[in-house]
Amino acid sequence: ETGVTQTPRHLVMGMTNKKSLKCEQHLGHNAMYWYKQSAKKPLELMFVYNFKEQTENNSVPSRFSPECPNSSHLFLHLHTLQPEDSALYLCASSQDLGGRKQLSNYGYTFGSGTRLTVV
Amino acid sequence: QKEVEQNSGPLSVPEGAIASLNCTYSDRGSQSFFWYRQYSGKSPELIMFIYSNGDKEDGRFTAQLNKASQYVSLLIRDSQPSDSATYLCAVKGGGSTLGRLYFGRGTQLTVWP
């Protein structure tokens, strides 16, 4: 396996269900991210993890709960979602040196995404 | 939230033409700039990055950066139907958001044969 792997690719869930999205990166990166992509809207940064520690939570509702057990794995636990949460959820990773030592040419590597439909 | 603005298009060009995609950003402390290509139903794929004023060329792609005008563009020469996709501009934040990538809405490009 190479790159960033996300499972499942597609998920349909009811509003009362509990499900989890999984992301695994094989790039040796130390930062991982969850993004939400809805139609006609920019990619929305949801959560950031650096060295397994959550460093950013962009006012995401509590029905989304992230977990990062190590620097290679990232989960997004979902419960009691709403139909408006239907979207493409993308995981990404990068090499983050921290502080002011940001490598200018390091973008993010994205996984293939999970297409989530809440019914 | 850092603002990254793109013309959503759609932009339609004939095969062989030059496609020009534009992006402006609000954070003057931004350090580096990226162009991602996203095919329908797929995830974004990094195609270019630039962090110095001027032009950067890679094959048929040229990225242009003007920090004074807070403007970055992507030119695609000899456009091919396979270039049809949505192009996302991304800006790496400065200051308190150092290292974070902020995305525009994307410009949908169609190259017709």
Side-chain angles (χ1 to χ4, degrees):
Chain A
E1 288 279 7
T2 58
V4 181
T5 304
Q6 282 188 250
T7 55
R9 293 295 303 274
H10 301 274
L11 178 62
V12 179
M13 59 186 289
M15 290 188 284
T16 58
N17 291 160
K18 290 184 179 181
K19 296 286 184 182
S20 296
L21 310 185
K22 179 182 176 182
C23 177
E24 183 175 1
Q25 60 96 1
H26 308 272
L27 301 169
H29 290 165
N30 58 16
M32 297 185 76
Y33 313 84
W34 280 116
Y35 277 88
K36 176 184 178 183
Q37 188 174 38
S38 305
K40 307 298 183 185
K41 295 176 71 174
L43 279 165
E44 300 173 55
L45 180 62
M46 300 174 71
F47 300 105
V48 180
Y49 278 83
N50 281 73
F51 300 97
K52 304 187 301 177
E53 299 296 322
Q54 185 181 134
T55 59
E56 198 160 331
N57 173 343
N58 279 348
S59 303
V60 180
S62 60
R63 57 186 184 269
F64 295 91
S65 174
E67 178 189 1
C68 188
N70 55 61
S71 57
S72 298
H73 293 85
L74 185 64
F75 296 89
L76 188 62
H77 303 300
L78 316 171
H79 65 97
T80 60
L81 295 191
Q82 304 299 311
E84 60 264 29
D85 296 323
S86 298
L88 179 67
Y89 288 84
L90 290 161
C91 173
S93 70
S94 72
Q95 187 60 24
D96 188 343
L97 297 185
R100 302 196 66 79
K101 293 182 180 180
Q102 291 299 318
L103 295 180
S104 296
N105 60 337
Y106 271 35
Y108 294 178
T109 301
F110 284 89
S112 53
T114 295
R115 173 68 63 185
L116 174 66
T117 303
V118 182
V119 297
Chain B
Q1 179 67 296
K2 310 298 180 181
E3 297 292 329
V4 179
E5 299 288 341
Q6 291 182 257
N7 185 334
S8 61
L11 174 65
S12 182
V13 301
E15 184 174 357
I18 295 175
S20 177
L21 306 163
N22 305 315
C23 174
T24 59
Y25 58 94
S26 63
D27 181 11
R28 283 195 172 275
S30 299
Q31 298 184 334
S32 47
F33 309 86
F34 303 81
W35 284 99
Y36 283 80
R37 177 177 60 201
Q38 187 174 24
Y39 292 113
S40 180
K42 302 294 185 181
S43 60
E45 169 194 13
L46 180 64
I47 55 172
M48 286 285 285
F49 69 89
I50 185 169
Y51 53 88
S52 298
N53 274 328
D55 295 359
K56 179 182 178 182
E57 187 173 317
D58 184 1
R60 296 186 295 111
F61 298 97
T62 299
Q64 299 175 315
L65 174 62
N66 184 326
K67 289 186 177 180
S69 301
Q70 295 175 239
Y71 174 89
V72 59
S73 66
L74 179 70
L75 300 178
I76 306 175
R77 291 183 301 281
D78 188 23
S79 295
Q80 302 297 309
S82 59
D83 294 326
S84 298
T86 296
Y87 289 81
L88 303 173
C89 173
V91 175
K92 188 169 277 191
S96 63
T97 62
L98 190 68
R100 298 291 167 257
L101 269 189
Y102 296 92
F103 287 84
R105 294 172 187 270
T107 298
Q108 185 180 343
L109 171 67
T110 300
V111 181
W112 43 277

